[in-house]
Amino acid sequence: MGMTIAQKIIKMHLVDGTMEKGTEIGLRMDQTLTQDATGTMAYLEFEAMGVPRVKTERSVAYIDHNTLQSGFENADDHKFIASIAKKHGIYFSKAGNGICHQVHLERFGSPGKTLIGSDSHTPTGGGIGMLAFGAGGLDVAVSMAGGAYYIPMPKMVRINLTGKLSDWVSAKDIILKVLSILTVKGGVGKIIEYAGPGVKTLSVPERATITNMGAELGATTSIFPSDEVTKEFLKAQGREADYKELSSDSDAVYDEEYDIDLSALSPMAAAPHMPDKVKTVEEFGAIKVHQCCIGSCTNSSYYDMMKVASILKGKKVHPDVSLVISPGSKQVMAMLIQNGALYDILSSGARILECTCGPCIGMGQSPGSGEVSLRTFNRNFEGRSGTADAQVYLVSPETAAVSAINGCFTDPRTLGKMQHIKMPGQFLIDDSMILKPAPEGQDVEILRGPNIKPFPIGEPLPENYAGATLLKTGDNITTDHILPAGSKLLPYRSNIPYYSNYCFANVDPDFPKRAKECGGGIIVGGTNYGQGSSREHAALVPLYLGVRAVLAKSFARIHSANLINSGILPLVFSDPSDYDKINQGDELFFPNLKKEVEEGQTITILNKTTGQTIKAESGVSGRQRDIILAGGALGNAKKQS
Ligand code: MIC
Ligand code: SF4
């Protein structure tokens, strides 16, 4: 039987298990990446493993999320990461060099290779034919140490692209269309593969926009074939030697197939506060706009910026709009300066930010109260911008730029004829902000600032457990709900005790106090609990506050793995309607917890407040069972050593 692209890469990297749908497989990771907001924790965990040198082909540490350095905390954390990188064989991309996913695509991404990153948008690498996964820091640390990365063998989905995008319709509109079909839960447990004659009409950055937002589908990852377009991109980056052709076999079997005719698409937008609340820009009408932000790992490539510059050239931003633009990398910025496009952008009245995540993760540029912000980013979760009642829409760079000029939501097709942007035959290559590690064996001092506090380690699973329902949430709770980021909190990613004061801050600010008073307990959630980012802090902080289990209708993949790694048990209601049998504050009792987990049985839960019985499944693999029983992955590793 023929194979899909993903199956071929999986087969070449399989070190544990068999490629049977739903069963756990272990994959060798060729490359790893970290960013600063998750990196400190990942490297602390790597240090705890006692491995002197990374065992991957290439590992890179990026500083791109919090570069404000508004206090000593970040500056110190960045020094810690730099010194760890130097010592252990990791390349270090300095603050200002660009957003991890954009730089990785430009300088390191390689078709057919596996990549794991402590950031949920690592699947951006799928645009260049990599099998790239977002994961918690601990899983990345294990991969750096040479261990396998475990996932349930995913289902295969094929999205068949035909036709060609019309003028003013872009890659962002394709992925928004996919989100409107599959929703934010539709990709869970699946790898999305793009295929068909439409593929060759899309450049590598356009493909990367699409695979980037596969994270918003909840997909395990997304991937494009590697073809002549990929080869040209790599050649223009001076890396033709990294090229490898990749395509699926003609008789490959997919679990689901969808067709999208690119020529039939219109500019799209996702309404507040979910990436799948998609309609066409036209359908939204001329809503007044206060802010437009162009950038993020989704839409900050040279190609995107040139399209924006061509729209802004000779025009002025509307007096009531703030237009902020963050090019994705130093390479992009330098090329815009060199060819004069930055002048066109600047003269329009746009504000230029550093080449970082910036407003995407709430590092400034929070909109005013109730204001409308159009963003080319990938997430518009409530409060993520830093303003609780801001109305954030996700749009393409074209829609953002033209709306910034008009002061209201505008379909870019109203601009008439479009100037076509050509991909450069040669990118400007200057890797001077990527520092090479020290030679093996060289003495390197690790610089550890006072912001780095010890992280919590879970306790082995008790025979039975009694605890209060500390919180009951609805569906689609994001990690931004569980643990907000933004400029005020991002400096404390290495300081779990401090960060814990903000757990569920935008959902129920009393949660941390209540959790401490009750001596810990249980969280009850709806469907897709923990969607969004890969931040393992969304598990480590609840662990610090004494949370022992999360009982939900379903979980997002990365968060569920992070809970297990931390030693918190993710449990799924056997009957989803049992969700109604628990109220916040109810006392729950798990009479045979350890035995039932050990034996892979259904878990019995007694609601002592109402007298009702509830059943739940732990659904963990044998490997995960050992981790849970030991109280988390680090505890388990210690037990084994
Ligand atoms: C995000 O987009 O939410 C982040 C910030 O990049 C996160 C990682 C983090 O929380 O540090 C992600 O996507 O994994
Ligand atoms: Fe950075 Fe935003 Fe991309 Fe996350 S989604 S990596 S915060 S640009």
Side-chain angles (χ1 to χ4, degrees):
M1 196 171 69
M3 282 201 274
T4 70
I5 302 171
Q7 285 167 342
K8 289 182 188 185
I9 304 179
I10 289 174
K11 191 171 170 212
M12 286 180 61
H13 292 83
L14 193 68
V15 290
D16 199 0
T18 53
M19 289 168 64
E20 228 173 282
K21 240 178 285 171
T23 64
E24 207 177 44
I25 52 167
L27 298 175
R28 177 173 44 81
M29 290 292 125
D30 299 321
Q31 299 189 352
T32 66
L33 70 78
T34 57
Q35 39 91 336
D36 49 308
T38 53
T40 333
M41 202 54 75
Y43 292 117
L44 286 170
E45 288 158 342
F46 178 73
E47 265 193 315
M49 289 170 193
V51 178
R53 198 84 179 166
V54 289
K55 302 219 168 103
T56 46
E57 291 174 14
R58 176 72 80 238
S59 286
V60 191
Y62 293 91
I63 305 294
D64 57 355
H65 275 59
N66 185 5
T67 58
L68 289 187
Q69 303 177 334
S70 43
F72 68 91
E73 291 87 355
N74 276 110
D76 283 359
D77 283 1
H78 297 172
K79 280 198 188 132
F80 168 71
I81 295 175
S83 60
I84 282 275
K86 192 169 176 188
K87 179 169 176 181
H88 294 287
I90 301 154
Y91 284 66
F92 179 74
S93 173
K94 292 169 73 178
N97 192 44
I99 306 174
C100 55
H101 308 305
Q102 175 65 24
V103 178
H104 208 82
L105 200 69
E106 292 168 357
R107 305 306 306 139
F108 299 109
S110 183
K113 299 280 182 193
T114 49
L115 165 70
I116 182 172
S118 60
D119 191 280
S120 65
H121 290 103
T122 306
T124 310
I128 203 166
M130 297 191 94
L131 200 65
F133 305 96
L138 194 100
D139 283 328
V140 178
V142 168
S143 298
M144 287 192 285
Y149 175 50
Y150 285 89
I151 50 166
M153 178 66 198
K155 289 186 182 163
M156 300 288 146
V157 178
R158 177 179 156 114
I159 299 193
N160 196 35
L161 304 177
T162 55
K164 192 173 179 305
L165 289 172
S166 318
D167 277 3
W168 303 112
V169 185
S170 76
K172 183 60 156 277
D173 303 313
I174 304 177
I175 187 62
L176 288 175
K177 176 72 185 176
V178 177
L179 270 153
S180 76
I181 301 169
L182 291 179
T183 79
V184 291
K185 316 191 252 278
V188 177
K190 301 170 190 170
I191 292 184
I192 319 276
E193 230 171 88
Y194 291 86
V199 164
K200 65 174 184 306
T201 69
L202 300 171
S203 64
V204 167
E206 288 174 297
R207 296 174 185 187
T209 294
I210 295 169
T211 56
N212 171 283
M213 280 191 78
E216 277 55 63
L217 298 165
T220 305
T221 191
S222 306
I223 190 165
F224 269 83
S226 170
D227 56 11
E228 281 304 308
V229 175
T230 323
K231 189 175 177 178
E232 284 309 306
F233 176 82
L234 283 166
K235 196 169 156 204
Q237 290 286 356
R239 302 198 290 117
E240 200 181 349
D242 289 340
Y243 175 68
K244 182 181 173 191
E245 201 209 315
L246 279 178
S247 59
S248 58
D249 294 329
S250 54
D251 55 346
V253 178
Y254 292 86
D255 299 280
E256 289 169 39
E257 292 204 36
Y258 301 88
D259 291 313
I260 294 183
D261 176 4
L262 300 180
S263 17
L265 292 182
S266 311
M268 315 283 258
H273 300 285
M274 267 309 139
D276 62 359
K277 290 183 78 180
V278 174
K279 288 201 280 191
T280 64
V281 171
E282 213 173 4
E283 280 169 317
F284 281 110
I287 302 169
K288 188 168 169 50
V289 169
H290 306 93
Q291 183 193 56
C292 294
C293 301
I294 301 177
S296 92
C297 56
T298 317
N299 280 119
S300 62
S301 66
Y302 172 79
Y303 184 72
D304 282 330
M305 292 294 148
M306 288 305 291
K307 286 192 292 186
V308 169
S310 78
I311 295 172
L312 296 178
K313 187 173 180 157
K315 308 257 176 43
K316 293 290 175 210
V317 170
H318 190 279
D320 298 342
V321 176
S322 171
L323 170 63
V324 289
I325 300 187
S326 0
S329 68
K330 191 184 78 162
Q331 180 182 80
V332 174
M333 181 82 105
M335 289 175 72
L336 297 177
I337 293 171
Q338 209 176 45
N339 70 11
L342 196 69
Y343 175 79
D344 299 330
I345 294 177
L346 206 65
S347 318
S348 72
R351 301 166 61 184
I352 309 296
L353 303 181
E354 209 182 358
C355 306
T356 61
C357 300
C360 179
I361 190 57
M363 300 304 293
Q365 280 68 45
S366 298
S369 300
E371 282 189 352
V372 171
S373 176
L374 302 193
R375 301 180 161 209
T376 68
F377 307 166
N378 45 40
R379 291 184 173 144
N380 58 346
F381 301 147
E382 201 171 359
R384 183 174 160 100
S385 65
T387 304
D389 60 356
Q391 302 296 306
V392 177
Y393 292 77
L394 304 177
V395 297
S396 70
E398 290 89 332
T399 301
V402 65
S403 302
I405 296 168
N406 287 356
C408 61
F409 228 129
T410 309
D411 185 328
R413 290 176 300 186
T414 53
L415 283 181
K417 209 172 148 38
M418 185 180 89
Q419 186 192 329
H420 285 269
I421 305 297
K422 274 186 52 191
M423 285 294 286
Q426 175 70 57
F427 287 96
L428 205 158
I429 297 161
D430 170 8
D431 290 335
S432 56
M433 285 178 86
I434 302 175
L435 309 185
K436 289 202 177 97
E440 196 160 357
Q442 186 180 305
D443 206 23
V444 178
E445 188 198 348
I446 300 300
L447 307 169
R448 227 175 289 268
N451 190 41
I452 299 181
K453 298 279 186 274
F455 53 89
I457 305 228
E459 294 288 323
L461 202 69
E463 301 292 334
N464 57 48
Y465 178 73
T469 309
L470 300 171
L471 184 72
K472 184 175 178 185
T473 74
D475 292 343
N476 288 325
I477 282 292
T478 72
T479 52
D480 281 309
H481 286 118
I482 302 171
L483 210 60
S487 58
K488 294 193 191 82
L489 292 180
L490 226 44
Y492 299 100
R493 281 291 179 92
S494 322
N495 186 342
I496 299 286
Y498 181 88
Y499 210 177
S500 73
N501 297 318
Y502 298 90
C503 193
F504 286 107
N506 296 326
V507 175
D508 181 347
D510 293 334
F511 176 81
K513 193 167 153 265
R514 190 161 62 243
K516 280 185 192 154
E517 276 167 9
C518 295
I522 313 291
I523 294 172
V524 172
T527 55
N528 204 20
Y529 181 87
Q531 71 160 319
S533 110
S534 67
R535 64 188 74 139
E536 60 191 330
H537 305 76
L540 288 171
V541 163
L543 174 72
Y544 177 81
L545 293 171
V547 172
R548 185 81 248 193
V550 181
L551 182 56
K553 289 185 189 169
S554 68
F555 287 89
R557 179 186 70 90
I558 305 177
H559 186 59
S560 164
N562 285 342
L563 287 173
I564 294 169
N565 281 343
S566 306
I568 297 179
L569 186 59
L571 291 173
V572 177
F573 286 105
S574 308
D575 174 357
S577 67
D578 278 1
Y579 170 86
D580 299 325
K581 288 188 183 162
I582 308 177
N583 291 313
Q584 192 163 310
D586 285 359
E587 289 291 332
L588 305 184
F589 182 54
F590 300 67
N592 302 309
L593 185 61
K594 189 171 173 195
K595 183 170 168 287
E596 286 166 348
V597 169
E598 252 166 3
E599 294 176 5
Q601 293 168 3
T602 296
I603 313 290
T604 309
I605 307 162
L606 234 60
N607 186 336
K608 294 213 296 199
T609 309
T610 65
Q612 286 169 306
T613 301
I614 295 139
K615 299 273 182 195
E617 311 300 328
S618 75
V620 289
S621 68
R623 183 190 63 91
Q624 291 171 326
R625 188 155 50 230
D626 291 345
I627 294 177
I628 282 292
L629 289 168
L634 284 179
N636 191 40
K638 283 211 179 99
K639 202 181 82 186
Q640 285 171 355
S641 61

